[in-house]
Amino acid sequence: MRGRATARRSTTGRFVAEPAARGVRAGIERFIDLTGGATSWLALAIVVLMAVNVLLRYLFSEGSVWGQELEWHLLAPLILFGMSYALLHGEHVRVDVLYAGFSERRKLQVDLLSAFLCIAISAAIIWLSLQYVQQSYVIGERSPDPGGLTHRWVLKALIPIGFAVLILQCVAIVLGTLEKLKALKP
């Protein structure tokens, strides 16, 4: 019954959309996995760029402002898209000293609360960064250094985009956590 309405009546008389929620979660997680995998290649580009910058500077006494700026221009998307990827794969920072001692239900409740808090904070960051990006675009912000990179607004635009992707991952976490909570017996 793929592609059809997936809501069904549960034994308690309430409608549930478990298959639809699973599909949405799986789609989000595929998107985050693809985005994170593609973004991870930026780490290699940063390493190569830094090595070239160091070699040019110390072996040939040549340096470029644009090369140094490009390092953090590549680091920003790596971090902004990498945080969702890390969250998907459980590689984020958590206070495991406390978390490890919790029951499975309590862990899921903490995960659910954390996901909702992350959504709220990410939404606030998006809201606050929009004017920041717009202002950068309107004034045509560029590097203040001669030979620096132009179009700094493109880099700044990654802030709301990166946090929107993080919200998507948190929605997937909420859906998965609710599914696990339902599966636990009271």
Side-chain angles (χ1 to χ4, degrees):
M1 296 187 83
R2 224 172 221 183
R4 301 190 67 192
T6 56
R8 61 177 173 81
R9 190 173 288 277
S10 72
T11 55
T12 60
R14 288 183 273 161
F15 282 99
V16 292
E18 292 169 5
R22 266 189 234 122
V24 168
R25 181 175 52 87
I28 291 171
E29 288 176 349
R30 264 192 314 276
F31 171 73
I32 299 295
D33 216 24
L34 287 172
T35 304
T39 304
S40 68
W41 285 99
L42 289 176
L44 179 61
I46 292 168
V47 169
V48 169
L49 180 61
M50 286 181 168
V52 167
N53 282 339
V54 168
L55 288 174
L56 287 174
R57 189 176 321 122
Y58 291 107
L59 292 180
F60 302 106
S61 297
E62 287 288 325
S64 65
V65 174
W66 70 266
Q68 290 178 339
E69 287 185 2
L70 187 57
E71 291 172 7
W72 58 269
H73 275 69
L74 293 175
L75 187 61
L78 179 67
I79 293 168
L80 288 167
F81 296 114
M83 60 188 174
S84 302
Y85 185 76
L87 193 56
L88 170 64
H89 292 285
E91 299 297 326
H92 57 290
V93 176
R94 177 175 37 225
V95 185
D96 286 330
V97 174
L98 300 175
Y99 189 82
F102 292 162
S103 68
E104 189 60 30
R105 181 174 296 284
R106 180 66 62 200
K107 286 179 182 178
L108 291 171
Q109 290 169 340
V110 168
D111 289 345
L112 194 60
L113 177 63
S114 299
F116 281 125
L117 286 172
C118 187
I119 289 170
I121 292 168
S122 296
I125 291 171
I126 290 170
W127 175 254
L128 294 171
S129 69
L130 290 176
Q131 185 176 359
Y132 179 67
V133 174
Q134 180 187 19
Q135 180 183 14
S136 180
Y137 175 76
V138 168
I139 65 172
E141 187 177 3
R142 57 182 298 130
S143 173
D145 299 316
L149 297 176
T150 60
H151 299 91
R152 191 162 286 175
W153 64 270
V154 174
L155 180 67
K156 291 181 177 184
L158 294 177
I159 297 169
I161 295 169
F163 280 94
V165 172
L166 184 60
I167 286 176
L168 280 177
Q169 178 54 40
C170 288
V171 167
I173 289 171
V174 166
L175 294 173
T177 304
L178 288 174
E179 187 177 318
K180 290 175 189 173
L181 277 169
K182 286 179 186 176
L184 283 180
K185 295 192 179 183

